Amino acid sequence: MIELRDWQLSYEVMNSLYHKVDQSHCLVQLAVPLERANTFRYLQAVQAGISNGKPFIAKGIWLDGTLIGKIELSRYDSMDAELDIVIAKEYCSKGYGRQAVALLEQMVRENGWCRSIYAYVDTANIPAGKMLAACGFEIGRFFSADVMVPYEGTYAIKTARGCEMRKIFEENSR
């Protein structure tokens, strides 16, 4: 059974986690090793609970005392939130992502933090789409977007194809 814990992490711990993550099917990819300045800004946002002026929740995903991933929500003025989750590749496709999403959803539903959660998934990331569907997310629109991806020590632009998945909470469930 996994648990979500507040982020009390350092650059080194974040970098170590991202070394274990397969980002090949992530719409947003980070160069590893992580850039120090951006990672410190991220950790400050986690501590403050605000990222780019928006409410923000980030939790570490822990299994038996081992950090296996992170999960976060960024909330917009509309009270919709955007989900991001990464899990170390050796722990993927074992149900831990589904458990983490369920725990985070329970937390935000209990305090009315948001009214819906959206996730943007690369269409090539079949396991992520299946995991979100198992969590009750519905398929929304499909899209194409040019994104920057790490490439040979710099960045390149690639066209990513994705699917918006969403879960809207019932009003009377809050």
Side-chain angles (χ1 to χ4, degrees):
M1 179 83 160
I2 61 114
E3 63 180 317
L4 302 183
R5 294 186 194 165
D6 288 338
W7 253 167
Q8 299 295 326
L9 302 176
S10 64
Y11 167 82
E12 292 75 20
V13 173
M14 286 288 295
N15 197 50
S16 175
L17 173 62
Y18 270 88
H19 271 290
K20 299 172 187 170
V21 171
D22 176 6
Q23 297 184 70
S24 63
H25 293 302
C26 294
L27 291 172
V28 176
Q29 298 177 18
L30 303 177
V32 178
L34 298 174
E35 297 173 359
R36 284 188 179 273
N38 289 338
T39 303
F40 287 124
R41 278 193 294 279
Y42 171 80
L43 293 172
Q44 288 174 333
V46 170
Q47 293 282 332
I50 296 176
S51 177
N52 296 322
K54 300 173 194 150
F56 180 67
I57 295 173
K59 302 286 183 182
I61 303 170
W62 294 81
L63 175 67
D64 300 327
T66 301
L67 177 69
I68 66 167
K70 74 171 182 74
I71 188 168
E72 59 190 46
L73 287 175
S74 298
R75 190 179 72 204
Y76 299 96
D77 293 339
S78 63
M79 293 295 286
D80 297 321
E82 184 176 333
L83 174 71
D84 182 40
I85 181 171
V86 295
I87 295 181
K89 57 187 159 205
E90 70 185 274
Y91 296 97
C92 288
S93 298
K94 296 183 179 180
Y96 301 126
R98 189 175 64 248
Q99 289 178 38
V101 170
L103 288 170
L104 188 62
E105 179 185 334
Q106 178 184 357
M107 179 182 18
V108 298
R109 286 181 82 150
E110 284 175 357
N111 65 24
W113 194 82
C114 62
R115 67 178 184 96
S116 64
I117 299 175
Y118 288 77
Y120 299 93
V121 181
D122 188 309
T123 54
N125 194 346
I126 305 295
K130 286 182 176 181
M131 181 268 298
L132 290 169
C135 291
F137 282 67
E138 296 178 356
I139 294 174
R141 67 183 175 88
F142 287 86
F143 61 89
S144 293
D146 289 336
V147 295
M148 303 275 295
V149 295
Y151 179 74
E152 296 181 0
T154 184
Y155 286 90
I157 295 177
K158 85 168 191 176
T159 300
R161 303 205 187 313
C163 175
E164 175 185 84
M165 299 189 72
R166 64 182 178 261
K167 184 164 189 180
I168 300 172
F169 306 145
E170 296 175 25
E171 286 299 317
N172 60 8
S173 66
R174 285 199 253 171

